[in-house]
Amino acid sequence: MNIIKRLVAGIAFGAVAATGAAAQDPIKIALIHGLSGSAFEAFSKQAQTGFEMGIEYGTDGTGEINGRPIEIITKDTQFKPDVARAVLAEAYGDDEVLLAVGATSSGVTVGMLPIAEEYEKILIVEPAVADSLTGPDSNRYVFKTSRNSSMDMQAQALALQPDENLVVATLAEDYAFGRDGIEAFKSALEGTGAEVVTEEYVPQGTTDFTAYAERMFNALKDREGRKVILIYIAGGGDAPGKIQAMDPSRYDIEISMGGHILPVLPTYKRFPGMEGAVYYYHEAFDNPVNEWLVKEHKARFDSPPDFFTAGGMSAALAVVKALKEAPDYETETLIETMEGMSWDTPKGQMTFRPEDHQALQDMLHFKIRVDDAVDWAIPEKVRIIPADEMDIPVGRNNQD
């Protein structure tokens, strides 16, 4: 029986149970993700699969917490901020969900934050990344299980082993994800002696990177030291491949970037030996939660879990932990329970920082290995970068 059928069965049982009818009412949770209208749809589907598997794992297969079945209500943002706000309001209001989880795009999710505050209900951000989602414009009802741009880029900076010999040009998309990421990267380099010599920002959906690459080449080519183009682009367009095709090596310039989802990793075979940082790779984390996820995902889908799958599971396990520990399900009680809460995930323990509700977590420093027997490039573990090695800025202070 798959998890959806198990959850439906649990709901049906709760409806007909003769004892404790009120206690059997389902706990409604909304998944607010973009399911149509963007290439990022794959991220949403992974997150949903991971969330469902996380509920299964966290409830020992029952789909119930404290005798109450979990009911998952899925909403499609269509990757449009106005639609996202509307469906989140619908979930909180008409559907009367206890809490919501989402969304996929940082730019879309920003618009959802005030809706959580308006309805005074919890929004768990997963898998959107931007630091601003727990920043000054966020609010106390928002918790974030996904990593943020500062984690991405501090880990990326550590993987580059920065010193006064390192000069970098950056390329990112021109929206919250990209700009927050580059700001975080520059912050991580402070005090190391490394220098960012130019920053290029491209519109989402860009496919021609020629002019941007030429400007970066010109900024780097006459510099002494190790010269790196850092690419921080979540969408398509194949910026790394197109820039590499322009032969940056003629200027002794190398390309660096973070890891990616499995469907994109075959393109990384063009970069053997490249080092970077990533949120998750299924072979890199050794713990019981990840062992279960990898085994079950391979058995059910004939493939290993991807990193948004791990993210979705992490969000679900945070929900399960909070609902098991909270003495009641009033919003204020849940906030008090979740602030400072630690829980186990496929990538180890995470902790919600009380000040801004960002989940602090480890990251993976990898080196690309190419194996002809594997369809994708393998981001082989160099080491796990522990959460306490990264100085992640506090986005907002919930005590203010």
Coordinates of all heavy atoms in Angstrom, one line a residue, residues 113 122-125 129-151 335 338-341 343 351-361 391-400:
L113 N 4.6 35.0 2.5 CA 4.9 35.2 3.9 C 3.8 36.0 4.6 O 3.4 35.7 5.7 CB 6.3 35.9 4.0 CG 7.4 35.2 3.3 CD1 8.7 36.0 3.6 CD2 7.6 33.8 3.7
I122 N 1.1 28.6 10.7 CA 2.5 28.3 10.4 C 2.7 28.0 8.9 O 1.9 27.3 8.3 CB 3.0 27.2 11.3 CG1 3.3 27.7 12.7 CG2 4.3 26.6 10.7 CD1 3.6 26.6 13.7
L123 N 3.8 28.6 8.3 CA 4.2 28.2 7.0 C 5.6 27.7 7.1 O 6.5 28.4 7.6 CB 4.2 29.4 6.1 CG 4.8 29.2 4.7 CD1 4.1 28.2 3.9 CD2 4.9 30.6 3.9
I124 N 5.8 26.4 6.7 CA 7.2 25.9 6.7 C 7.7 26.0 5.3 O 7.1 25.5 4.3 CB 7.2 24.4 7.1 CG1 6.8 24.3 8.6 CG2 8.5 23.7 6.9 CD1 6.7 22.8 9.1
V125 N 8.8 26.7 5.1 CA 9.3 27.0 3.8 C 10.2 25.8 3.4 O 11.2 25.5 4.0 CB 10.1 28.3 3.7 CG1 10.8 28.5 2.4 CG2 9.2 29.5 4.0
V129 N 14.9 28.8 -1.2 CA 16.2 28.9 -0.6 C 16.6 30.3 -0.1 O 17.2 30.5 0.9 CB 17.3 28.5 -1.6 CG1 18.7 28.8 -1.1 CG2 17.2 27.0 -1.9
A130 N 16.1 31.4 -0.7 CA 16.6 32.7 -0.5 C 16.7 33.1 1.0 O 15.7 32.8 1.8 CB 15.8 33.8 -1.2
D131 N 17.8 33.8 1.4 CA 17.9 34.2 2.8 C 16.8 35.1 3.2 O 16.3 35.1 4.4 CB 19.2 35.0 3.0 CG 20.5 34.2 3.0 OD1 20.4 33.0 2.5 OD2 21.5 34.6 3.6
S132 N 16.2 35.9 2.3 CA 15.2 36.9 2.6 C 13.9 36.3 3.1 O 13.1 36.9 3.8 CB 14.9 37.7 1.4 OG 14.5 36.9 0.3
L133 N 13.8 35.0 2.9 CA 12.5 34.3 3.4 C 12.5 34.2 4.9 O 11.4 33.9 5.5 CB 12.4 32.9 2.8 CG 12.3 32.9 1.2 CD1 12.4 31.5 0.6 CD2 11.0 33.6 0.8
T134 N 13.6 34.4 5.6 CA 13.6 34.5 7.0 C 14.2 35.8 7.4 O 14.8 36.0 8.5 CB 14.4 33.3 7.7 OG1 15.7 33.2 7.1 CG2 13.7 32.0 7.6
G135 N 14.1 36.8 6.5 CA 14.7 38.1 6.8 C 13.8 39.1 7.4 O 12.7 38.7 7.9
P136 N 14.1 40.4 7.3 CA 13.3 41.4 7.9 C 11.9 41.5 7.5 O 11.0 41.9 8.2 CB 14.1 42.7 7.6 CG 15.5 42.3 7.3 CD 15.4 40.9 6.7
D137 N 11.6 41.1 6.3 CA 10.2 41.1 5.8 C 9.5 39.8 6.0 O 8.3 39.7 5.6 CB 10.2 41.4 4.2 CG 10.7 42.7 3.9 OD1 10.6 43.6 4.7 OD2 11.3 42.9 2.8
S138 N 10.1 38.9 6.7 CA 9.4 37.6 7.1 C 8.7 37.9 8.4 O 8.5 39.0 8.9 CB 10.4 36.5 7.3 OG 9.8 35.3 7.5
N139 N 8.2 36.8 9.1 CA 7.5 37.0 10.3 C 7.6 35.7 11.2 O 8.1 34.7 10.7 CB 6.0 37.3 10.0 CG 5.3 36.3 9.2 OD1 5.0 35.2 9.7 ND2 5.1 36.6 7.9
R140 N 7.1 35.8 12.4 CA 7.2 34.7 13.4 C 6.5 33.4 13.0 O 6.7 32.4 13.7 CB 6.8 35.2 14.8 CG 5.4 35.6 14.9 CD 5.1 36.4 16.2 NE 5.5 35.6 17.3 CZ 4.6 34.8 17.9 NH1 3.3 34.7 17.5 NH2 4.9 34.2 19.0
Y141 N 5.6 33.5 12.0 CA 4.9 32.3 11.7 C 5.6 31.4 10.6 O 5.2 30.3 10.3 CB 3.5 32.7 11.1 CG 2.7 33.4 12.1 CD1 2.6 34.8 12.1 CD2 2.0 32.8 13.2 CE1 1.9 35.6 13.0 CE2 1.3 33.5 14.1 CZ 1.3 34.9 14.0 OH 0.6 35.6 15.0
V142 N 6.7 31.9 10.2 CA 7.5 31.3 9.1 C 8.6 30.5 9.7 O 9.5 31.0 10.4 CB 8.0 32.3 8.1 CG1 8.9 31.6 7.0 CG2 6.8 33.0 7.4
F143 N 8.7 29.2 9.4 CA 9.9 28.4 9.7 C 10.4 27.8 8.4 O 9.7 27.6 7.4 CB 9.4 27.2 10.6 CG 9.1 27.6 12.0 CD1 7.9 28.2 12.3 CD2 10.0 27.3 13.0 CE1 7.6 28.5 13.6 CE2 9.7 27.7 14.3 CZ 8.5 28.3 14.6
K144 N 11.7 27.6 8.3 CA 12.4 27.2 7.1 C 13.2 26.0 7.3 O 14.3 26.1 7.9 CB 13.2 28.4 6.6 CG 13.7 28.3 5.1 CD 14.1 29.7 4.7 CE 14.7 29.7 3.3 NZ 16.1 29.0 3.3
T145 N 12.8 24.9 6.7 CA 13.6 23.7 6.7 C 14.7 23.6 5.6 O 15.7 22.9 5.7 CB 12.7 22.4 6.7 OG1 11.9 22.5 5.5 CG2 11.9 22.3 7.9
S146 N 14.4 24.3 4.5 CA 15.3 24.3 3.4 C 16.6 25.1 3.8 O 16.6 25.9 4.7 CB 14.7 24.9 2.2 OG 14.3 26.2 2.4
R147 N 17.7 24.7 3.2 CA 18.9 25.5 3.4 C 18.7 26.9 2.9 O 17.7 27.2 2.1 CB 20.1 24.8 2.8 CG 20.5 25.2 1.4 CD 19.7 24.5 0.3 NE 20.2 24.9 -1.0 CZ 19.6 24.7 -2.1 NH1 18.4 24.1 -2.1 NH2 20.2 25.0 -3.3
N148 N 19.6 27.8 3.2 CA 19.5 29.2 2.6 C 20.7 29.5 1.7 O 21.6 28.7 1.7 CB 19.2 30.3 3.6 CG 20.3 30.5 4.6 OD1 21.4 30.0 4.4 ND2 20.0 31.2 5.7
S149 N 20.6 30.6 1.1 CA 21.7 31.0 0.2 C 23.0 31.1 0.9 O 24.1 30.8 0.4 CB 21.4 32.3 -0.6 OG 20.2 32.1 -1.4
S150 N 23.0 31.6 2.2 CA 24.2 31.7 2.9 C 24.9 30.4 3.2 O 26.1 30.3 3.1 CB 23.9 32.4 4.3 OG 23.7 33.8 4.1
M151 N 24.1 29.4 3.4 CA 24.7 28.0 3.6 C 25.3 27.5 2.3 O 26.4 27.0 2.3 CB 23.6 27.1 4.1 CG 23.1 27.3 5.5 SD 21.7 26.3 5.9 CE 21.1 27.1 7.4
I335 N 4.5 27.3 17.7 CA 5.7 28.1 17.6 C 6.7 27.9 18.8 O 7.9 27.8 18.6 CB 5.3 29.6 17.5 CG1 4.6 29.9 16.2 CG2 6.5 30.5 17.7 CD1 4.0 31.3 16.1
M338 N 8.5 24.6 18.3 CA 9.4 24.5 17.2 C 10.6 25.4 17.4 O 11.7 25.1 16.8 CB 8.7 24.8 15.9 CG 7.6 23.8 15.6 SD 6.5 24.3 14.2 CE 7.6 24.2 12.8
E339 N 10.5 26.5 18.1 CA 11.7 27.3 18.2 C 12.8 26.6 19.0 O 12.6 26.2 20.2 CB 11.3 28.6 19.0 CG 10.5 29.6 18.1 CD 10.2 30.9 18.7 OE1 10.3 31.0 20.0 OE2 9.9 31.9 18.0
G340 N 13.9 26.4 18.4 CA 15.0 25.7 19.0 C 14.9 24.2 18.9 O 15.8 23.5 19.4
M341 N 13.9 23.7 18.3 CA 13.7 22.2 18.1 C 14.7 21.6 17.2 O 15.0 22.1 16.1 CB 12.3 22.0 17.6 CG 11.9 20.5 17.5 SD 10.2 20.3 16.7 CE 10.6 20.4 15.0
W343 N 15.7 17.9 15.2 CA 15.1 16.6 14.7 C 16.1 16.0 13.7 O 16.9 16.6 13.1 CB 13.7 16.9 14.1 CG 13.7 17.6 12.8 CD1 13.5 17.0 11.6 CD2 13.9 19.0 12.5 NE1 13.5 17.9 10.6 CE2 13.7 19.1 11.1 CE3 14.2 20.1 13.3 CZ2 13.9 20.4 10.5 CZ3 14.3 21.3 12.7 CH2 14.2 21.5 11.3
T351 N 18.3 22.0 13.3 CA 17.8 22.7 14.4 C 17.2 24.0 14.0 O 17.8 24.8 13.2 CB 18.9 23.0 15.5 OG1 19.4 21.8 15.9 CG2 18.3 23.8 16.7
F352 N 15.9 24.3 14.4 CA 15.3 25.6 14.1 C 16.0 26.7 15.0 O 15.8 26.6 16.2 CB 13.8 25.6 14.3 CG 13.0 25.0 13.2 CD1 12.1 24.0 13.5 CD2 13.2 25.4 11.9 CE1 11.3 23.4 12.5 CE2 12.4 24.8 10.8 CZ 11.5 23.8 11.2
R353 N 16.7 27.6 14.4 CA 17.2 28.7 15.2 C 16.1 29.6 15.7 O 15.3 30.1 15.0 CB 18.2 29.6 14.3 CG 18.9 30.7 15.0 CD 20.1 31.2 14.3 NE 19.7 31.6 12.9 CZ 20.6 32.0 12.0 NH1 21.9 32.0 12.3 NH2 20.3 32.3 10.8
P354 N 16.1 29.8 17.1 CA 14.9 30.6 17.6 C 14.8 32.0 17.1 O 13.7 32.5 16.9 CB 15.3 30.6 19.1 CG 16.2 29.4 19.4 CD 17.0 29.3 18.1
E355 N 15.9 32.6 16.8 CA 15.9 34.0 16.4 C 15.1 34.3 15.1 O 14.4 35.3 14.9 CB 17.3 34.6 16.2 CG 18.0 34.7 17.5 CD 18.7 33.4 17.9 OE1 18.5 32.4 17.2 OE2 19.5 33.5 18.9
D356 N 15.3 33.4 14.1 CA 14.7 33.6 12.8 C 14.0 32.4 12.1 O 13.5 32.5 11.0 CB 15.7 34.2 11.8 CG 16.8 33.3 11.5 OD1 16.9 32.2 12.1 OD2 17.7 33.7 10.7
H357 N 14.1 31.3 12.9 CA 13.4 30.0 12.4 C 14.0 29.4 11.2 O 13.4 28.5 10.6 CB 11.9 30.3 12.2 CG 11.1 30.8 13.4 ND1 9.9 31.2 13.3 CD2 11.5 30.9 14.7 CE1 9.4 31.6 14.5 NE2 10.4 31.4 15.4
Q358 N 15.3 29.7 10.9 CA 16.0 29.0 9.9 C 16.6 27.7 10.4 O 17.1 27.7 11.5 CB 17.2 29.9 9.4 CG 18.2 29.2 8.5 CD 17.6 28.7 7.2 OE1 17.0 29.5 6.4 NE2 17.7 27.4 6.9
A359 N 16.4 26.6 9.7 CA 17.0 25.4 10.1 C 18.5 25.3 9.8 O 18.9 25.4 8.7 CB 16.3 24.2 9.4
L360 N 19.3 25.2 10.9 CA 20.7 25.1 10.7 C 21.0 23.6 10.4 O 20.5 22.7 11.0 CB 21.4 25.6 12.0 CG 21.1 27.0 12.4 CD1 21.8 27.3 13.7 CD2 21.4 28.0 11.3
Q361 N 22.0 23.4 9.5 CA 22.2 22.1 9.0 C 23.5 21.9 8.3 O 24.2 22.9 7.9 CB 21.1 21.7 7.9 CG 21.0 22.7 6.8 CD 19.7 22.7 6.1 OE1 19.5 21.9 5.2 NE2 18.7 23.5 6.5
D391 N 29.0 30.6 9.6 CA 28.5 31.7 10.3 C 27.3 32.3 9.5 O 27.5 33.2 8.7 CB 29.6 32.7 10.6 CG 29.1 33.9 11.4 OD1 28.0 33.8 12.0 OD2 29.7 35.0 11.4
I392 N 26.1 31.7 9.7 CA 24.9 32.1 9.0 C 24.3 33.3 9.6 O 23.9 33.3 10.8 CB 23.9 30.9 8.9 CG1 24.6 29.6 8.4 CG2 22.7 31.3 8.0 CD1 25.3 29.8 7.0
P393 N 24.2 34.4 8.9 CA 23.6 35.6 9.4 C 22.2 35.4 9.9 O 21.4 34.7 9.3 CB 23.6 36.6 8.3 CG 24.7 36.1 7.3 CD 24.6 34.6 7.5
V394 N 21.8 36.0 11.0 CA 20.4 36.0 11.5 C 19.6 36.9 10.6 O 19.9 38.1 10.5 CB 20.3 36.4 13.0 CG1 18.9 36.5 13.4 CG2 21.1 35.4 13.8
G395 N 18.5 36.4 10.1 CA 17.7 37.1 9.2 C 16.8 38.2 9.9 O 16.7 39.3 9.5
R396 N 16.1 37.7 10.9 CA 15.3 38.6 11.7 C 15.4 38.1 13.2 O 15.7 37.0 13.4 CB 13.9 38.7 11.2 CG 13.1 37.4 11.4 CD 11.7 37.5 10.9 NE 10.9 38.5 11.5 CZ 10.2 38.4 12.6 NH1 10.2 37.2 13.2 NH2 9.5 39.4 13.2
N397 N 15.1 39.0 14.1 CA 15.1 38.6 15.5 C 13.7 38.5 16.0 O 13.0 39.5 16.1 CB 15.9 39.6 16.3 CG 16.2 39.1 17.7 OD1 15.4 38.3 18.3 ND2 17.3 39.4 18.3
N398 N 13.2 37.3 16.3 CA 11.8 37.2 16.7 C 11.5 37.7 18.1 O 10.4 37.6 18.5 CB 11.4 35.7 16.6 CG 11.2 35.2 15.2 OD1 10.4 35.8 14.4 ND2 12.0 34.2 14.7
Q399 N 12.6 38.1 18.8 CA 12.3 38.7 20.1 C 12.1 40.2 20.0 O 11.7 40.9 21.0 CB 13.6 38.5 21.0 CG 14.0 37.0 21.1 CD 12.9 36.1 21.5 OE1 12.1 36.4 22.4 NE2 12.7 35.0 20.8
D400 N 12.3 40.8 18.8 CA 12.1 42.2 18.6 C 10.6 42.6 18.6 O 9.8 41.8 18.2 CB 12.7 42.7 17.3 CG 14.2 42.6 17.3 OD1 14.8 42.5 18.4 OD2 14.8 42.7 16.2

